[in-house]
Amino acid sequence: MGSSLPAKEANLFKVIVKSYETKQYKKGLKAADSILKKFPEHGETLSMKGLTLNCMDRKSEAYELVRRGLKNDLKSHVCWHVYGLLYRSDREYREAIKCYRNALRIDPDNIEILRDLSLLQAQMRDLSGFVETRQQLLTLKPNHRMNWIGFAVSHHLSSNSSKAIEVLEAYEGTLEDDYPPENERYEHGEMLLYKISLLEECGMLDRALQEMHKMESKIVDKLSFREQMACILLKLGRFEEAEKIYRSLLFMNPDNYKYLIAVQKCLGLYSENGHYSADDVERLSALYKSLKEEYSWSSAVKRIPLDFLEGEKFQEAADNYVRPLLTKGVPSLFSDLSPLYEHPGKANILEQLFLKLEDSIRTSGCFPGSSQMEPPSTLMWTLLLVSQHYDRRSQYDIALDKIDEAILHTPTVIDLYSIKGNILQHAGNFSAAAALADEARSMDLADRYLNSECVMQMLQADQVGLAEKTAVLFTKDGDQHNNLHDMQCMWYELASGESYFRQGDLGRALKNFLAVEKHYTDMTEDQFDFHSYCLRKMTLRAYVSMLKFQDRLHAHEYFHKAAAGAIRCYMKLHDSPLKSSAEENDELSKLPAAQRKKLRQKQKKAEARAKREAEEKQEDETTSTNSSKSGKKQQARPVDLDPHGEKLVQVEDPLAEATKYLKLLQNNSSDSLETHILSFELNMRKQKVLLAFQAVKQLIKLDENNPDSHRSLCLLN
């Protein structure tokens, strides 16, 4: 670097590089200008100056300087590397990879460029290239632990776990017997647990178990060690040993459902579909009875039997489970019991039980068969539970009667108003539900959850303006709406987008749906920093898990809703295209002169108001950059030039835009009915009958009794 410069300027070039690395950008610029005074066309200096300016948000100047520097010195690996770094900062990863490869043609053994290239290959899932680059790094620097681990992980990601194990064992062969030192014990333990997980993944269970016994003293994370050992023993069919470990884990955490299910598996008492024989139910009952005696404070050992018990035994267990929680006053009791409504017949048993409890408390003040008087609040919590039960069974009139009685009994309990709002929402009275949610919120203005529930109900009632004012009560001072976006408050954006769509405001609806899509793009980009961090810190199991999660990120429910909402907006734009300015002028010319003048004045006022708001916003942003309360400079937020989504709806081909999002849904949510319904509707509009027919085939395959499947089939015929 800077080798073509005289000694003085070469030293200045080193200052530029060091200043860039330490973020002393002004110092770096000063050094660059000193060199460029004498050597104005020095390519590497121009490139480094451009890279420094890029860090100071002067992107156009940065690109101009870097391209000029590259033009002046095409055979400099520094210029190509800097060009790649510039592209990387703008998330143009494919272009950055091309630049790095050009740099490596000039300097094939440059460690720094190879490392940067490997990070981009991991980001872009170029797995064969990732393996090749990590191998090259290991060959160049075999005494560096991170290079061994990176090479192993690259093989694991390429579905070659056995090769990854070989690499890790080769690395272990380079270590001394007394390794690791005290300050590296945790990292080495993580590497060993990762190796054991690879052995388990390859089906080498006996070898994995041997490795665990051999390396137990070197593994720091004892909880993960015991969980993994128990899991391997269970897979090997050594049930007694596995059960012993799981029971010791239960002693530490008796409310862990995974441990309890694992104990059932060890005893041969677990069914994936939840169906058990009478003999199995007896044995399960005995198991949980003994666990209840051992862990009387555990909620899980009391709750799980409700899933497999039937008839009178279920009623008795449910009665014993519900009573203390009603006495205590647990608002989430119904949420806990809600999954039982999916079991045939259990909803009827619960209804009989709840009504029996209500009648007994109302008449005697005690639970049935008990002489102990209950506190007055028990009746109120029982009425709340009964109202939620009838709400779940869509008997809204009875549910409202019960919740009203509970409110009359104790009008100060906030949960009652929230639940009544939910009942009204389910009954279709959205405005009344929003009013009740607002009343609940006003009873505790410091509760963020109540505020969020209120906002959701308001959006359901299409009270968007009021919802936004309520939502920003819990945001930072300043540009509140942008704060909601910065916090990735996706439930708000989705509900807001759906409300605007119902109201026919497609611009704002698209604005919200595409904002959610932007969050998922940001999440994909956010993984970049972890490629080097996780290898350095040896959090390898978490790293691989994170990459697998990222690969299925777009299958998440929120992304599905946002993409589906955007597709519907674009289809509506296709069905009802916006009028062009020429058409609007033609319509205006047909109006009487006085009316035409009035409309034009109204348009001018709206334009002036929008311009004034944008200017005020710009001033606020400029003021906020000067200094914060702590005196620190803050970065200016880019001004939104299309706050109402007016430009978003001005697309030439709405169906082409919709197709982009449909492909994402087809790739990531192919098991969803909605994906194929949207595919059918979109392809019918595009007159692609064969694709529409394929969508109908998928609908029938997923759910042939669904009304949308029949409707689509009828429309196709």
Side-chain angles (χ1 to χ4, degrees), residues 453-473:
E453 276 287 301
C454 177
V455 170
M456 183 63 86
Q457 296 283 21
M458 287 173 171
L459 289 171
Q460 190 75 43
D462 294 334
Q463 300 169 3
V464 183
L466 189 56
E468 185 173 337
K469 287 177 185 175
T470 309
V472 300
L473 294 172

Side-chain angles (χ1 to χ4, degrees), residues 180-405:
E182 192 62 34
N183 63 334
E184 292 182 27
R185 285 189 67 225
Y186 185 81
E187 287 84 352
H188 187 67
E190 281 296 303
M191 188 274 288
L192 293 171
L193 284 171
Y194 175 61
K195 180 186 166 186
I196 291 160
S197 70
L198 287 174
L199 288 165
E200 187 181 347
E201 194 176 302
C202 290
M204 305 178 191
L205 300 177
D206 289 310
R207 194 172 154 197
L209 202 58
Q210 288 171 13
E211 195 74 20
M212 293 196 85
H213 288 304
K214 182 181 169 185
M215 296 296 180
E216 183 174 0
S217 61
K218 293 189 176 183
I219 294 173
V220 178
D221 187 351
K222 296 300 181 188
L223 178 63
S224 293
F225 174 82
R226 290 165 74 185
E227 287 178 341
Q228 204 156 357
M229 178 171 273
C231 182
I232 291 168
L233 287 167
L234 184 60
K235 287 180 179 178
L236 282 168
R238 293 163 65 171
F239 300 125
E240 288 184 13
E241 295 170 72
E243 184 190 351
K244 188 177 178 182
I245 296 174
Y246 277 122
R247 283 187 179 271
S248 70
L249 289 168
L250 272 176
F251 182 76
M252 296 164 60
N253 184 3
D255 276 311
N256 190 313
Y257 274 62
K258 289 181 182 177
Y259 298 161
L260 289 163
I261 288 167
V263 169
Q264 286 182 219
K265 287 179 179 177
C266 292
L267 296 168
L269 295 173
Y270 180 72
S271 169
E272 291 286 346
N273 58 17
H275 298 308
Y276 297 96
S277 65
D279 183 48
D280 285 343
V281 170
E282 283 296 322
R283 291 174 63 199
L284 279 169
S285 300
L287 168 66
Y288 279 97
K289 186 178 179 182
S290 66
L291 287 170
K292 187 179 174 183
E293 289 171 2
E294 193 173 354
Y295 308 112
S296 57
W297 64 92
S298 169
S299 175
V301 298
K302 299 169 189 170
R303 170 62 183 83
I304 290 175
L306 300 183
D307 291 326
F308 59 78
L309 291 172
E310 299 288 343
E312 291 181 7
K313 288 185 178 179
F314 168 74
Q315 185 175 2
E316 184 185 349
D319 193 4
N320 292 332
Y321 183 71
V322 164
R323 287 190 187 195
L325 298 179
L326 287 175
T327 304
K328 190 177 179 182
V330 177
S332 60
L333 174 57
F334 184 78
S335 298
D336 188 17
L337 298 174
S338 187
L340 297 172
Y341 284 72
E342 304 297 331
H343 296 235
K346 288 191 176 180
N348 291 331
I349 296 172
L350 287 173
E351 182 173 322
Q352 292 169 16
L353 171 64
F354 297 159
L355 293 175
K356 184 180 174 185
L357 292 173
E358 180 198 346
D359 183 59
S360 179
I361 294 167
R362 197 190 291 276
T363 54
S364 66
C366 309
F367 284 126
S370 171
S371 58
Q372 185 178 346
M373 292 296 291
E374 290 294 316
S377 61
T378 305
L379 176 59
M380 182 269 293
W381 291 115
T382 306
L383 288 167
L384 173 63
L385 183 63
V386 173
S387 71
Q388 288 174 291
H389 164 79
Y390 282 116
D391 176 36
R392 174 65 187 257
R393 306 200 83 180
S394 302
Q395 297 179 28
Y396 303 120
D397 291 337
I398 304 174
L400 286 169
D401 287 342
K402 296 293 181 183
I403 199 73
D404 283 337
E405 188 179 346

Side-chain angles (χ1 to χ4, degrees), residues 41 90 108 159 256 359 408 413 514 523 525 539 615 696 710:
E41 297 303 316
D90 287 338
S159 304
N256 190 313
D359 183 59
L408 194 65
V413 176
L514 298 188
M523 287 179 209
E525 300 301 336
T539 55
E615 286 171 356
V696 172
H710 287 283

Side-chain angles (χ1 to χ4, degrees), residues 399-636:
L400 286 169
D401 287 342
K402 296 293 181 183
I403 199 73
D404 283 337
E405 188 179 346
I407 291 171
L408 194 65
H409 183 281
T410 315
T412 54
V413 176
I414 300 171
D415 297 278
L416 300 176
Y417 298 89
S418 295
I419 298 302
K420 184 177 179 182
N422 290 337
I423 296 168
L424 288 167
Q425 181 196 358
H426 299 154
N429 193 344
F430 300 124
S431 55
L436 264 169
D438 193 40
E439 187 177 348
R441 178 192 68 82
S442 63
M443 293 171 75
D444 186 354
L445 297 172
D447 192 315
R448 187 192 292 267
Y449 172 76
L450 291 174
N451 183 274
S452 299
E453 276 287 301
C454 177
V455 170
M456 183 63 86
Q457 296 283 21
M458 287 173 171
L459 289 171
Q460 190 75 43
D462 294 334
Q463 300 169 3
V464 183
L466 189 56
E468 185 173 337
K469 287 177 185 175
T470 309
V472 300
L473 294 172
F474 277 87
T475 60
K476 296 176 184 175
D477 294 334
D479 190 355
Q480 284 92 344
H481 193 274
N482 268 338
N483 276 321
L484 286 168
H485 178 76
D486 292 342
M487 289 190 291
Q488 297 186 342
C489 193
M490 287 186 273
W491 65 264
Y492 172 81
E493 287 166 333
L494 283 170
S496 186
E498 286 161 5
S499 177
Y500 281 126
F501 180 78
R502 287 193 295 270
Q503 295 175 66
D505 190 341
L506 298 182
R508 283 188 171 96
L510 267 175
K511 186 85 177 170
N512 281 281
F513 290 137
L514 298 188
V516 174
E517 192 253 350
K518 172 73 167 55
H519 296 322
Y520 280 87
T521 304
D522 289 341
M523 287 179 209
T524 304
E525 300 301 336
D526 287 343
Q527 71 179 296
F528 183 82
D529 293 328
F530 290 97
H531 298 308
S532 59
Y533 175 84
C534 291
L535 293 181
R536 191 170 68 252
K537 294 292 185 182
M538 300 289 279
T539 55
L540 305 174
R541 292 174 300 149
Y543 174 57
V544 172
S545 175
M546 183 269 290
L547 293 180
K548 288 178 180 176
F549 166 77
Q550 287 282 353
D551 289 339
R552 59 178 188 273
L553 183 65
H554 288 89
H556 193 272
E557 178 190 1
Y558 279 3
F559 179 81
H560 179 96
K561 286 183 179 178
I567 291 167
R568 287 201 169 91
C569 287
Y570 285 124
M571 288 196 298
K572 202 166 185 180
L573 279 172
H574 170 78
D575 297 342
S576 308
L578 297 174
K579 291 174 184 174
S580 65
S581 54
E583 288 174 333
E584 285 179 359
N585 289 334
D586 287 343
E587 285 188 9
L588 275 174
S589 62
K590 292 174 187 175
L591 293 172
Q595 201 172 345
R596 191 163 61 240
K597 187 179 177 183
K598 227 181 229 184
L599 274 171
R600 280 179 176 155
Q601 283 176 345
K602 194 175 180 182
Q603 284 174 353
K604 282 180 182 178
K605 281 181 182 177
E607 286 170 10
R609 186 169 62 250
K611 188 179 177 183
R612 188 169 63 252
E613 285 175 1
E615 286 171 356
E616 286 172 2
K617 198 172 184 180
Q618 181 70 55
E619 284 175 19
D620 290 342
E621 296 293 344
T622 308
T623 307
S624 68
T625 58
N626 291 337
S627 62
S628 64
K629 291 178 183 178
S630 59
K632 292 181 181 177
K633 285 193 174 182
Q634 293 180 330
Q635 192 175 355

